[in-house]
Amino acid sequence: MARWRIVARATGLRVRVLTEVAGEKILYLESPQGRNQAAADYLSTGVHGDEAGAAWGLLKWAESNLQQLSTGSFLIFPCFNPAGLRNNTRHDHRGLDINRRFDLAQDPITAPWRKLVSERKLRIGLCLHEDYDSQGCYVYELCPPRQSLSSKVMSECTQRIAVDPRRIIEGSRAQAGVIRRSKLPPNFPGMPEAFVLWQLGCPITLTFETPSEFSLDDRVAAQAAFVAAALKHAPTP
Ligand SMILES: [Zn+2]
């Protein structure tokens, strides 16, 4: 977060407090008034604390793209689960998986998040994760079929780590690392961030996964390249 504050100072992004849990602030960054009238690019990571490559990858992208952050409209959640990141655990300080709780009205983290996000117009949402079972990079895509951009994006971010070659990933059909979904599998436990973002009106949400057993440097590079490519190919509203 110290490095995110440096990014904020260099770009004019505001650092704000979403909420405070267990004596710890959960921070987010947003473009200042005026710039945030345009539909914002939503970037988030650190929901699962044992996925360090995703959290570092978003920071690497930000530190390398100060000009874009200075002029565009952004809403950024760099560290949803600080206790989990420190302890290298998927679950948060309560022992809960935040990414199954985005629909809950009473949750102290996701309820203020939902209020904030429902008041913003978004262009695209990127949720950055990692997967222990994965054999390469893959992405879940939620958007109208004619706006599908993931094949192009994957071709530009898989130089350091190739696309996961599996045809079935986490029980879903995958094509060259792209899983298109319009609804959750039956009996899926709880609501992940990407689905609630979509329900709240974000027209495209992409959940990107790098393989957590691969080299950290390569995962960080792949995550940063994914953010760059996805923002480049996102349609202008
Ligand atoms: Zn995850």
Side-chain angles (χ1 to χ4, degrees), residues 44-56:
S44 114
T45 188
V47 169
H48 293 140
D50 56 347
E51 301 175 4
W56 284 111

Side-chain angles (χ1 to χ4, degrees), residues 46-51 54 90 97 99-100 128-131 207-209:
V47 169
H48 293 140
D50 56 347
E51 301 175 4
R90 178 179 176 91
D97 183 343
N99 213 27
R100 300 292 179 269
L128 308 180
H129 286 261
E130 298 202 279
D131 179 355
T207 303
F208 184 60
E209 306 266 358

Side-chain angles (χ1 to χ4, degrees), residues 16 18 28 30 33 36-40 42 73 75 77 111-122 196-197 200-202:
R16 305 204 191 282
L18 176 71
Y28 67 97
E30 67 176 345
Q33 280 221 320
N36 69 12
Q37 303 307 311
Y42 175 99
S73 176
L75 182 59
F77 291 85
W113 171 89
R114 210 169 41 256
K115 179 173 185 314
L116 174 72
V117 167
S118 60
E119 291 164 355
R120 296 290 191 284
K121 195 167 163 37
L122 302 177
V196 180
L197 266 181
L200 292 174
C202 183

Side-chain angles (χ1 to χ4, degrees), residues 10-160:
T11 57
L13 288 171
R14 305 285 189 254
V15 180
R16 305 204 191 282
V17 179
L18 176 71
T19 185
E20 190 169 328
V21 287
E24 187 151 43
K25 292 184 174 71
I26 298 184
L27 302 173
Y28 67 97
L29 295 86
E30 67 176 345
S31 300
Q33 280 221 320
R35 272 200 263 145
N36 69 12
Q37 303 307 311
D41 293 341
Y42 175 99
L43 313 174
S44 114
T45 188
V47 169
H48 293 140
D50 56 347
E51 301 175 4
W56 284 111
L58 183 58
L59 179 62
K60 180 186 167 72
W61 172 83
E63 290 178 338
S64 314
N65 289 278
L66 298 176
Q67 179 63 26
Q68 193 171 348
L69 285 167
S70 301
T71 51
S73 176
F74 289 91
L75 182 59
I76 304 174
F77 291 85
C79 185
F80 255 110
N81 181 4
L85 274 165
R86 260 198 311 276
N87 298 326
N88 193 32
T89 58
R90 178 179 176 91
H91 293 159
D92 70 1
H93 62 287
R94 305 165 290 180
L96 298 174
D97 183 343
I98 300 173
N99 213 27
R100 300 292 179 269
R101 305 179 61 81
F102 274 88
D103 57 325
L104 301 182
Q106 303 297 331
D107 187 272
I109 299 171
T110 60
W113 171 89
R114 210 169 41 256
K115 179 173 185 314
L116 174 72
V117 167
S118 60
E119 291 164 355
R120 296 290 191 284
K121 195 167 163 37
L122 302 177
R123 177 175 79 124
I124 189 169
L126 307 182
C127 305
L128 308 180
H129 286 261
E130 298 202 279
D131 179 355
Y132 280 98
D133 303 323
S134 149
Q135 298 166 16
C137 299
Y138 66 91
V139 65
Y140 295 99
E141 181 179 72
L142 263 173
C143 69
R146 69 186 186 296
Q147 289 193 311
S148 177
L149 68 164
S150 288
S151 300
K152 263 185 288 187
V153 171
M154 291 300 275
S155 71
E156 290 180 20
C157 69
T158 46
Q159 276 76 28
R160 291 278 286 271

Side-chain angles (χ1 to χ4, degrees), residues 137 157-158 160-161 208 210 217-227:
C137 299
C157 69
T158 46
R160 291 278 286 271
I161 300 178
F208 184 60
T210 43
D217 276 356
D218 288 343
R219 288 147 50 202
V220 169
Q223 292 276 349
F226 170 79
V227 175

